[in-house]
Amino acid sequence: MLDSCKLKSACNLPFICNKKINAAGTSNAEVPLADPGMYQLDITLRRGQSLAARDRGGTSDPYVKFKIGGKEVFRSKIIHKNLNPVWEEKACILVDHLREPLYIKVFDYDFGLQDDFMGSAFLDLTQLELNRPTDVTLTLKDPHYPDHDLGIILLSVILTPKEGESRDVTMLMRKSWKRSSKFQTQSLRLSDLHRKSHLWRGIVSITLIEGRDLKAMDSNGLSDPYVKFRLGHQKYKSKIMPKTLNPQWREQFDFHLYEERGGIIDITAWDKDAGKRDDFIGRCQVDLSALSREQTHKLELQLEEGEGHLVLLVTLTASATVSISDLSVNSLEDQKEREEILKRYSPLRIFHNLKDVGFLQVKVIRAEGLMAADVTGKSDPFCVVELNNDRLVTHTVYKNLNPEWNKVFTFNIKDIHSVLEVTVYDEDRDRSADFLGKVAIPLLSIQNGEQKAYVLKNKQLTGPTKGVIYLEIDVIFNAVKASLRTLIPKEQKYIEEENRLSKQLLLRNFIRMKRCVMVLVNAAYYVNSCFDWDSPPRSLAAFVLFLFVVWNFELYMIPLVLLLLLTWNYFLIISGKDNRQRDTVVEDMLEDEEEEDDKDDKDSEKKGFINKIYAIQEVCVSVQNILDEVASFGERIKNTFNWTVPFLSWLAIVALCVFTVILYCIPLRYIVLVWGINKFTKKLRSPYAIDNNELLDFLSRVPSDVQVVQYQELKPDPSHSPYKRKKNNLG
């Protein structure tokens, strides 16, 4: 054991001189370091012993942070109600030099409150032998109370030099998430980018079916259970099922599989408690290495440290069509490959792999006029390309405001209504990457094969920031598959910022909902004015129309009226009489919200009182989200009839035509009979089918007014035209 690893408290940490690696298997603390290289530090966090109790019940909920140079590089899972926790978690950290020690801090997790400090220790990396596994025992201390016994942490470490490690490598983006007392914030770190330099090897498809006989955590003898899944740094949280011990979730999601051997999925079940810490129900694991590929496995998992079972369906499949290459290697320019891709998504292959909707190729060519993020007046930009949960990253171009990447990314399209997000960051090796700009491009708005200069926007996508990025994008998809996929639930992003309370956001959602409600109120006033004969000609026309419709009404007329409304708006648009107004109200509200976000970031310490009234905040956030959902629902209906997304409006026309014909030709009793038989026998025919509502799934693809503003393409400066630039170069 390395008990003498120079474990010092924060107040008496000595200056550590530069050291140089001498030879493999020897200490690296003998020769001054002339040229620090890259080192890989593999750590296994084993367990803790006799940790300090921080909760009223005489226990703690400990987790561990690793820091180097003041920056967090790893955070363990939380072990609940245990003073002798066993983690057995592995971390791979790339270290620039050995001058900075590894700082280990242990905390007690407190939901909604500031976590309690449980002790810290330092590991002097210069004292480790290279290429040799070492067991380390660290004694935890509190700098303010050095005499207190806070227990020990046991680690296993291996330090290896990374000779000739190329920094200019195309990498897979990994995200490290920090939890603060204010809200969840995203932190992109260079060490995370280096952690995986290869693409995922497969897809793990998971369907959470149900829970059985879960432990009752509430005073009413029930629970409000939800489930968290974790595979490496990928996380997913299920919806909450209120007041039940036998919840039916029927949720499906995918994880990327990086390890050839598989990996382990950590699963924890929780009981939701508003205004206080959620109760832990139990945990279980799935060892993917024990499952065969290309086969669906039904798993009934017993919850440990609790009661009950979880029922899952797990399928391991080969990797989707995802790749990174140089500009010279282009799939669509190779005639043979292009024909293969076109054949794969031809109309004749409608029922072949319904999940494989299309193919996306993104050429990230260059950027111009980027923001200077470094004190030298330059930046070290790299580009992140995201499609739903697929994230790929270019190499970094150092000290350049006009970088050229010339990379080609290909993705498998699961939903044609997805939005491609391209974000430019400035690399900072010692801290979080700086945001430089972002664009969001709906796949249906892409013009194939056209090189375009996209103006970079701010984080909220509400206004321009400095610089443009040149992209050339191609989308090939099967329209029938895309239409069918529109009627199933939309894929959720696993890693998103947690909703937080915002005065401007609350006001914005209230105004949006008010505008939707006012449409109905104005319609009611209009009808009432016809009854009051405020305008005799209008009232007379309305009365005649009422008599005609009621006397001749048939059920098929409902979809027929909606069909006529869609058609009317379509002819208005193509005739140049577009009644769609640019939503300046929403734009102004978004800009105000962005200003408030900036102000909140600066005054976060002054506004810390929000965290002290967590229960009120959670209620306000819930109201805020409900207002957003109601407003978005109304806006999506409006935007369907406004032809905001022509593909979806045409799809609605086809559906309404079919419904009109069915209602006209088939008696209503037969339609209701078929509908009832389908509903009653659905679970008998397909026990594990995921419940969904086709209409709501369709509307979820229609953008709300806020999303319409965010996806608007800003007009670039004419001087940034690629064609003009080529002409000037020739001249």
Side-chain angles (χ1 to χ4, degrees):
M1 294 286 182
L2 257 179
D3 290 315
S4 59
C5 283
K6 297 193 177 181
L7 313 179
K8 307 266 192 308
S9 65
C11 58
N12 61 359
L13 176 66
F15 176 78
I16 302 174
C17 300
N18 292 351
K19 307 293 180 184
K20 182 178 180 181
I21 300 171
N22 190 17
T26 65
S27 172
N28 52 333
E30 299 173 3
V31 185
L33 185 61
D35 182 21
M38 186 76 74
Y39 301 88
Q40 178 173 315
L41 182 63
D42 292 293
I43 307 174
T44 302
L45 174 61
R46 297 293 185 192
R47 61 185 185 276
Q49 291 182 1
S50 305
L51 300 185
R54 291 289 187 255
D55 294 339
R56 292 180 180 177
T59 62
S60 293
D61 305 314
Y63 67 92
V64 180
K65 290 182 183 179
F66 293 164
K67 290 188 174 184
I68 291 183
K71 302 302 176 183
E72 183 179 326
V73 294
F74 171 79
R75 178 181 294 211
S76 76
K77 62 187 178 185
I78 301 166
I79 304 296
H80 292 272
K81 298 178 182 177
N82 201 325
L83 299 182
N84 298 284
V86 177
W87 284 284
E88 292 296 337
E89 291 189 59
K90 295 183 179 180
C92 177
I93 303 169
L94 290 183
V95 183
D96 292 337
H97 48 73
L98 305 180
R99 295 191 299 270
E100 295 284 356
L102 179 69
Y103 187 24
I104 295 96
K105 299 180 75 175
V106 184
F107 290 89
D108 167 53
Y109 174 66
D110 282 324
F111 183 78
L113 303 173
Q114 184 173 357
D115 296 343
D116 298 320
F117 179 69
M118 296 178 63
S120 63
F122 288 94
L123 174 60
D124 187 350
L125 302 182
T126 63
Q127 298 300 308
L128 298 177
E129 295 186 7
L130 298 176
N131 301 315
R132 180 176 176 181
T134 308
D135 292 328
V136 181
T137 300
L138 303 176
T139 302
L140 297 175
K141 294 293 182 183
D142 187 337
H144 301 292
Y145 306 98
D147 297 333
H148 288 192
D149 182 10
L150 302 180
I152 60 175
I153 293 290
L154 285 83
L155 312 172
S156 294
V157 297
I158 306 175
L159 182 66
T160 55
K162 303 290 287 183
E163 303 266 343
E165 183 75 22
S166 172
R167 296 173 65 198
D168 189 28
V169 60
T170 301
M171 298 164 291
L172 175 73
M173 190 179 81
R174 302 295 300 276
K175 289 188 176 180
S176 169
W177 293 84
K178 289 182 176 180
R179 184 186 65 245
S180 67
S181 59
K182 182 182 178 187
F183 58 89
Q184 197 95 350
T185 57
Q186 174 181 346
S187 174
L188 178 64
R189 299 193 175 280
L190 184 65
S191 59
D192 295 320
L193 296 177
H194 281 290
R195 193 170 294 144
K196 289 285 183 184
S197 59
H198 58 275
L199 301 177
W200 46 93
R201 299 174 180 270
I203 302 293
V204 184
S205 179
I206 302 170
T207 303
L208 173 61
I209 302 297
E210 61 186 2
R212 297 175 183 169
D213 303 320
L214 300 185
K215 187 176 181 180
M217 307 302 293
D218 296 337
S219 57
N220 59 5
L222 299 172
S223 292
D224 305 310
Y226 66 92
V227 181
K228 291 182 178 180
F229 295 81
R230 176 176 173 178
L231 178 60
H233 284 257
Q234 302 172 90
K235 298 177 182 178
Y236 179 82
K237 178 181 175 181
S238 76
K239 60 189 176 185
I240 300 167
M241 305 301 293
K243 295 182 176 60
T244 179
L245 300 180
N246 298 282
Q248 297 283 325
W249 282 287
R250 307 299 173 97
E251 295 184 48
Q252 193 275 330
F253 58 96
D254 295 336
F255 279 156
H256 293 146
L257 187 61
Y258 297 97
E259 302 293 336
E260 186 70 40
R261 293 171 295 176
I264 293 178
I265 301 176
D266 291 310
I267 305 170
T268 52
W270 300 83
D271 167 55
K272 180 66 178 177
D273 282 327
K276 59 180 182 178
R277 187 172 67 183
D278 293 351
D279 296 321
F280 177 73
I281 295 179
R283 72 171 67 251
C284 56
Q285 290 184 330
V286 177
D287 185 356
L288 297 178
S289 63
L291 304 180
S292 56
R293 305 294 177 100
E294 309 299 336
Q295 182 180 346
T296 299
H297 304 267
K298 180 185 176 184
L299 306 178
E300 296 187 16
L301 305 174
Q302 171 73 45
L303 290 176
E304 301 173 4
E305 305 174 33
E307 299 175 7
H309 296 77
L310 294 179
V311 181
L312 313 176
L313 299 180
V314 180
T315 307
L316 278 64
T317 58
S319 177
T321 310
V322 180
S323 68
I324 308 173
S325 61
D326 293 324
L327 204 59
S328 58
V329 184
N330 186 342
S331 299
L332 293 180
E333 289 182 1
D334 186 318
Q335 190 60 33
K336 188 175 180 181
E337 284 195 42
R338 185 180 184 88
E339 289 176 359
E340 283 291 325
I341 293 171
L342 290 172
K343 182 180 178 182
R344 190 192 313 163
Y345 302 108
S346 69
L348 301 177
R349 295 172 64 87
I350 296 174
F351 300 106
H352 179 75
N353 191 2
L354 287 175
K355 289 187 177 181
D356 186 12
V357 170
F359 173 86
L360 172 66
Q361 177 178 278
V362 184
K363 293 182 184 177
V364 182
I365 300 169
R366 67 180 187 278
E368 291 181 356
L370 296 179
M371 188 188 310
D374 298 337
V375 292
T376 59
K378 298 287 185 181
S379 291
D380 303 322
F382 64 93
C383 191
V384 178
V385 184
E386 299 180 70
L387 184 68
N388 293 330
N389 292 302
D390 296 341
R391 298 176 180 85
L392 298 173
V393 178
T394 69
H395 60 279
T396 302
V397 179
Y398 294 96
K399 294 180 172 53
N400 202 323
L401 299 181
N402 302 289
E404 293 194 10
W405 292 289
N406 293 321
K407 290 292 181 184
V408 180
F409 300 87
T410 64
F411 295 90
N412 177 259
I413 299 175
K414 303 174 187 175
D415 189 345
I416 196 59
H417 310 289
S418 300
V419 177
L420 176 70
E421 295 182 0
V422 181
T423 312
V424 182
Y425 291 96
D426 168 63
E427 178 187 307
D428 247 322
R429 304 204 66 190
D430 297 325
R431 57 190 178 90
S432 301
D434 296 321
F435 176 86
L436 298 180
K438 180 178 183 179
V439 292
I441 310 166
L443 297 187
L444 285 171
S445 69
I446 291 171
Q447 297 175 349
N448 283 353
E450 179 182 349
Q451 185 184 136
K452 294 183 68 174
Y454 292 88
V455 177
L456 293 173
K457 296 184 178 182
N458 53 33
K459 287 183 180 180
Q460 287 74 27
L461 297 170
T462 56
T465 185
K466 194 173 181 183
V468 296
I469 186 168
Y470 290 90
L471 306 173
E472 184 178 325
I473 312 173
D474 289 271
V475 176
I476 297 173
F477 69 98
N478 184 300
V480 178
K481 284 185 183 181
S483 301
L484 294 175
R485 291 284 291 176
T486 304
L487 304 178
I488 66 174
K490 189 177 181 180
E491 181 181 6
Q492 300 296 318
K493 295 193 78 170
Y494 307 145
I495 304 177
E496 291 183 320
E497 283 195 15
E498 194 173 276
N499 290 323
R500 57 188 176 115
L501 182 60
S502 164
K503 180 179 66 178
Q504 285 294 336
L505 185 58
L506 192 62
L507 177 62
R508 184 192 81 186
N509 291 341
F510 176 76
I511 294 175
R512 288 170 59 209
M513 191 187 76
K514 180 181 176 183
R515 291 166 68 193
C516 295
V517 171
M518 286 307 297
V519 172
L520 301 177
V521 172
N522 291 334
Y525 278 137
Y526 184 85
V527 171
N528 193 58
S529 70
C530 293
F531 294 152
D532 293 339
W533 292 82
D534 293 340
S535 172
R538 187 178 65 194
S539 295
L540 180 61
F543 182 58
V544 172
L545 180 63
F546 170 76
L547 293 176
F548 177 80
V549 170
V550 171
W551 185 258
N552 297 281
F553 178 77
E554 296 288 346
L555 201 59
Y556 71 85
M557 293 180 180
I558 296 176
L560 182 61
V561 169
L562 298 176
L563 181 61
L564 291 175
L565 180 58
L566 267 170
T567 307
W568 173 258
N569 282 340
Y570 175 73
F571 282 113
L572 282 179
I573 292 170
I574 62 175
S575 63
K577 300 178 181 179
D578 190 356
N579 61 352
R580 296 176 295 178
Q581 299 292 326
R582 182 172 177 178
D583 206 331
T584 55
V585 176
V586 173
E587 288 186 14
D588 292 341
M589 287 189 291
L590 284 170
E591 289 173 3
D592 292 341
E593 183 187 334
E594 179 194 349
E595 292 174 5
E596 190 196 26
D597 285 343
D598 294 338
K599 187 177 179 182
D600 282 346
D601 291 339
K602 295 175 184 176
D603 301 336
S604 58
E605 293 183 3
K606 298 179 182 179
K607 296 186 177 182
F609 73 92
I610 292 180
N611 299 305
K612 298 177 182 178
I613 52 172
Y614 182 83
I616 298 176
Q617 174 183 339
E618 188 170 17
V619 171
C620 292
V621 169
S622 299
V623 172
Q624 178 178 281
N625 293 340
I626 291 171
L627 290 174
D628 177 58
E629 290 177 8
V630 173
S632 295
F633 183 79
E635 291 166 355
R636 292 178 199 277
I637 294 174
K638 178 198 72 175
N639 290 336
T640 300
F641 287 94
N642 277 353
W643 292 79
T644 301
V645 181
F647 181 91
L648 290 170
S649 296
W650 279 116
L651 187 59
I653 281 183
V654 172
L656 289 172
C657 287
V658 172
F659 293 153
T660 301
V661 172
I662 290 175
L663 290 172
Y664 181 78
C665 299
I666 303 175
L668 181 60
R669 67 174 66 87
Y670 295 126
I671 297 173
V672 174
L673 190 63
V674 171
W675 174 84
I677 292 172
N678 174 64
K679 283 294 184 181
F680 277 104
T681 62
K682 186 174 182 180
K683 194 165 185 180
L684 299 176
R685 291 181 282 111
S686 183
Y688 305 117
I690 297 174
D691 295 329
N692 70 301
N693 184 299
E694 288 78 5
L695 178 60
L696 295 180
D697 291 334
F698 170 85
L699 288 175
S700 71
R701 268 59 173 211
V702 182
S704 65
D705 287 352
V706 172
Q707 290 172 320
V708 169
V709 173
Q710 291 176 333
Y711 300 159
Q712 279 177 351
E713 187 179 329
L714 301 178
K715 293 183 179 180
D717 190 319
S719 62
H720 283 133
S721 171
Y723 306 105
K724 185 173 180 179
R725 175 173 172 169
K726 288 180 182 177
K727 187 176 179 180
N728 292 338
N729 291 340
L730 291 173

